Amino acid sequence: MAKIMDMETKIGRRFEGKVAIVTASTQGIGFAIAERLGLEGASVVISSRKQKNVDEAVEKLKNKGLEVFGVVCHVSNAQHRKDLIQKTVDKYGKIDVIVSNAAVNPSVDPLLRTLESILDKLWEINVKATVLLLQEAAPHLQKGSSIVIISSIAGYNPQPAMAMYGVTKTALLGLTKALATEMAPVTRVNAVAPGFVPTNFAAYITKDEGVAANEEKTLLGRLGTPKDMAAAAAFLASDDACYITGETLIVAGGLPSRL
């Protein structure tokens, strides 16, 4: 516990008394974001599609002394979205932060050979679900609340093996701008665009020989980590970023990021 307290002291307590929801947060970047917000004092609501994964993640975070609550939520399921918001409000009475992290990339096919069903799934989960979740959450968001959308460096330059995924992440850059306009001045909306981060989700581009190749593309000579992304998301969600909205913070080690 002393080690955790040292970490808490080092990173501060910017979310003391606040309630944060993080979608797709039982592993990888989402889990790291939930952990960071919890270490900084937030009551964190984590979610994922499978109860087993939710239970395991909750246990890990509680073992670190964090206040955490788990809800099963497949973001494409309307009832699941409703339950995530309602159960959060029932338990904590409000919502201060939402981090929209859920995404899929079910195909590496070229765009012109991608099945319509796959195109629909990518759009539904990577883009539309964020809008629908915020429709449920908006009545409960506090003044000074913050939304952080997880986009991707792929949104700036979609690669052949993840073309439609990249296009959906480009859409999130525009969605961030549109939501920031609509939700101001009560709620700020920003995005994080991670570079290459070796997680289970990105294993097909960051494993084995892909590691060295992708490291060489960065100016800092290394891949990103979930904690790098968590630090960026926590900054944007915090009052340290209280005069920032409608922006995307690229956290990619210097990878090119021009549209």
Side-chain angles (χ1 to χ4, degrees), residues 6 14 32 35 54 58 80 92 129 134 155 176 178 181 227 239 247:
D6 287 344
R14 294 177 293 185
E35 180 180 31
V54 171
V58 166
H80 284 197
Y92 296 114
L134 293 180
T176 297
T181 300
K227 287 186 177 181
D239 289 341
E247 301 296 341

Side-chain angles (χ1 to χ4, degrees), residues 195-234:
F196 298 121
V197 181
T199 62
N200 288 339
F201 182 85
Y204 71 102
I205 57 171
T206 59
K207 66 181 181 180
D208 305 328
E209 66 276 3
V211 171
N214 287 316
E215 284 177 343
E216 289 176 2
K217 295 176 183 177
T218 72
L219 298 182
L220 298 183
R222 68 172 178 87
L223 300 183
T225 68
K227 287 186 177 181
D228 291 330
M229 309 309 139

Side-chain angles (χ1 to χ4, degrees), residues 49-220:
R49 293 178 298 169
K50 297 180 180 179
Q51 186 70 59
K52 177 176 180 291
N53 293 346
V54 171
D55 292 343
E56 290 175 353
V58 166
E59 184 177 4
K60 287 177 185 176
L61 294 177
K62 283 190 172 180
N63 286 342
K64 295 188 175 188
L66 307 184
E67 172 58 35
V68 59
F69 178 55
V71 179
V72 171
C73 180
H74 193 315
V75 294
S76 67
N77 183 302
Q79 188 60 51
H80 284 197
R81 292 191 301 268
K82 189 181 294 291
D83 288 346
L84 176 61
I85 299 304
Q86 191 59 53
K87 288 179 180 180
T88 299
V89 173
D90 288 347
K91 184 168 180 63
Y92 296 114
K94 63 173 184 172
I95 303 169
D96 298 288
V97 175
I98 297 177
V99 181
S100 182
N101 175 63
V104 294
N105 186 28
S107 172
V108 295
D109 291 332
L111 271 175
L112 299 183
R113 293 209 297 269
T114 302
L115 296 174
E116 183 177 359
S117 60
I118 298 298
L119 295 174
D120 289 343
K121 183 175 183 180
L122 279 157
W123 187 258
E124 181 177 18
I125 294 176
N126 295 6
V127 182
K128 190 171 77 170
T130 294
V131 179
L132 295 175
L133 182 65
L134 293 180
Q135 287 178 356
E136 292 287 344
H140 307 287
L141 290 170
Q142 303 296 295
K143 184 172 176 57
S145 55
S146 178
I147 308 300
V148 179
I149 296 171
I150 306 303
S151 179
S152 172
I153 191 68
Y156 289 85
N157 187 23
Q159 300 298 306
M162 57 171 78
M164 190 60 196
Y165 169 83
V167 170
T168 63
K169 293 299 186 173
T170 307
L172 292 180
L173 306 181
L175 181 62
T176 297
K177 295 281 190 187
L179 287 171
T181 300
E182 183 168 329
M183 301 183 79
V186 173
T187 301
R188 295 182 300 106
V189 184
N190 293 290
V192 173
F196 298 121
V197 181
T199 62
N200 288 339
F201 182 85
Y204 71 102
I205 57 171
T206 59
K207 66 181 181 180
D208 305 328
E209 66 276 3
V211 171
N214 287 316
E215 284 177 343
E216 289 176 2
K217 295 176 183 177
T218 72
L219 298 182
L220 298 183

